[in-house]
Amino acid sequence: MSPETMHALLSDVFGVFPITPDFEFSVEIDPTEAAPDLLQTLIDFGMNRASIGVQDFAPAVQNAIGRLQSLEQTQTVVTFLRENGVKAINLDLLYGLPYQSKDSFQATLNHVVALDPDRLAIYGYAYVPWMSKRQTMIKSTALPDARQRFDLACIASQTLQGSGFSAIGIDHFAKPSDSLFKAQEAGKLRRNFQGYTDDQCQTLIGLGASAISRFQNGYVQNAVATSAYQDRISTTWFAGHKGYEMTQNDALVSAMIEALMCRFCFPTQELQRAFPENVDTIQSSAINLMKRYPDVFTLSETGLVMRMETHHLARIIAKEIDGLTIEKNAHVAAI
């Protein structure tokens, strides 16, 4: 977007949504497209957190995924943001990328630590060529295998925790001054379909083509194609294309998964208080988890707690609790 277009967009958005005292305006930034005048426009409208995609700094890896981004470009953007008042900086990395090795990933991590971000997201690369045509150009033999992916994730965890960051959930790291760290310490960390958050609001409004909104009782997705999105707004004033109303069981499963992913526990008593109609289901689920994963969980006064060294299994256990069959076309199939 040009600075002029961005200015017009933000003027309209903030004309509808007034700014509150705890306002956070976070923007995902690609350093290869972050012109100073565009960044300044965002800052002028109150951007106070920036999330910068890095993925990996190794040239061979960048060539394979078609994302050429130098360390110098990234440093320039980070410096500009800090010098202009943006105090909260996030960086995003990927492990499991083609041609990524322990040594190359360690070098990327060293650069990232030197950039001194407040928060880091370390995601596993999802190789889904059946969903992304561009990925058909990447040979599966160039990808780290499951053991190598795990080793890369461990290198990231060890490096970052040894550099003053604390692990947040299964794929984030943050400094003690960051809001995610504070939320985790207070037992208020949440996870929605976009990732970890300290936002306690149950409503998430998605704007734009294909955007998904979350309400207390379900989801609504806007029309995916831009033309269809525009048509729906011009004819009905509503962009929603399809939706899903959550059942009582969906809400229970969601609460179970969020507890696992955010607090690494299965809080039996808490769940039974929140869902008194499902006391038997909750109790049987706890018993089944303890039987199936005796080396993962320990018993506590309030339920089950995952042992520290097993936290990386939370996603796998959550998938089992979900009870849904993961088909080939599901994005999570590659995780």
Side-chain angles (χ1 to χ4, degrees):
M1 280 188 190
S2 67
E4 294 76 19
T5 303
M6 182 64 77
H7 187 282
L9 172 64
L10 295 178
S11 295
D12 283 350
V13 170
F14 292 128
V16 175
F17 298 99
I19 295 174
T20 61
D22 58 349
F23 165 76
E24 182 171 274
F25 178 14
S26 176
V27 181
E28 291 195 18
I29 294 173
D30 179 350
T32 65
E33 298 179 348
D37 54 354
L38 181 57
L39 293 177
Q40 188 60 56
T41 300
L42 293 166
I43 292 169
D44 291 344
F45 273 89
M47 179 178 69
N48 50 18
R49 181 178 292 278
S51 182
I52 300 172
V54 171
Q55 324 315 347
D56 192 291
F57 283 124
V61 175
Q62 291 187 355
N63 282 322
I65 62 175
R67 183 187 174 95
L68 301 180
Q69 175 183 326
S70 68
L71 173 60
E72 291 71 26
Q73 285 176 307
T74 308
Q75 287 174 325
T76 298
V77 170
V78 170
T79 299
F80 181 91
L81 293 170
R82 287 208 173 104
E83 289 179 347
N84 287 277
V86 180
K87 297 180 180 180
I89 304 289
N90 306 353
L91 296 181
D92 297 339
L93 300 178
L94 291 175
Y95 65 87
L97 290 165
Y99 304 110
Q100 197 175 50
S101 67
K102 292 182 181 180
D103 289 341
S104 70
F105 193 45
Q106 184 66 68
T108 288
L109 290 166
N110 293 341
H111 290 314
V112 163
V113 170
L115 289 170
D116 196 28
D118 301 275
R119 184 188 302 177
L120 284 149
I122 316 290
Y123 299 119
Y125 176 62
Y127 181 62
V128 285
W130 54 88
M131 292 180 65
S132 174
K133 291 184 178 179
R134 182 179 55 80
Q135 288 188 347
T136 59
M137 300 174 65
I138 298 174
K139 295 181 180 179
S140 60
T141 54
L143 298 168
D145 60 25
R147 177 67 203 194
Q148 291 168 328
R149 282 172 63 95
F150 179 72
D151 289 343
L152 291 170
C154 288
I155 289 172
S157 180
Q158 293 163 5
T159 299
L160 296 174
Q161 292 191 76
S163 302
F165 294 88
S166 294
I168 308 294
I170 64 170
D171 50 24
H172 279 59
F173 298 85
K175 290 181 177 179
S177 57
D178 189 80
S179 59
L180 274 192
F181 176 89
K182 294 176 182 179
Q184 179 169 266
E185 290 294 290
K188 294 183 178 180
L189 184 68
R190 295 188 58 242
R191 186 177 177 96
N192 57 31
F193 64 89
Q194 290 189 317
Y196 287 105
T197 179
D198 60 333
D199 186 0
Q200 300 303 304
C201 184
Q202 295 296 319
T203 301
L204 179 65
I205 300 174
L207 304 176
S210 82
I212 300 173
S213 296
R214 168 70 193 269
F215 301 100
Q216 186 173 359
N217 296 318
Y219 299 87
V220 175
Q221 183 176 24
N222 293 347
V224 175
T226 301
S227 58
Y229 169 77
Q230 293 172 331
D231 288 344
R232 289 192 65 81
I233 292 176
S234 63
T235 58
T236 71
W237 288 84
F238 292 102
H241 168 65
K242 61 182 178 180
Y244 180 81
E245 183 177 3
M246 295 178 67
T247 65
Q248 175 78 1
N249 185 66
D250 291 331
L252 171 59
V253 170
S254 177
M256 290 176 176
I257 290 175
E258 189 167 39
L260 273 175
M261 300 288 268
C262 294
R263 293 181 282 153
F264 301 108
C265 67
F266 188 92
T268 308
Q269 293 182 14
E270 176 185 313
L271 290 168
Q272 289 177 337
R273 286 194 297 270
F275 300 91
E277 304 90 346
N278 302 93
V279 168
D280 292 342
T281 299
I282 294 166
Q283 189 64 35
S284 63
S285 296
I287 293 172
N288 289 337
L289 285 175
M290 199 66 195
K291 286 181 178 179
R292 183 162 174 76
Y293 301 101
D295 297 328
V296 171
F297 290 101
T298 59
L299 286 170
S300 73
E301 293 181 357
T302 58
L304 308 181
V305 178
M306 294 182 69
R307 292 183 169 89
M308 179 73 71
E309 66 273 16
T310 67
H311 284 184
H312 57 275
L313 299 174
R315 187 193 296 272
I316 295 172
I317 297 172
K319 174 183 169 182
E320 184 164 319
I321 288 177
D322 198 351
L324 298 178
T325 301
I326 304 300
E327 302 294 344
K328 183 181 179 183
N329 63 351
H331 191 73
V332 77
I335 303 300

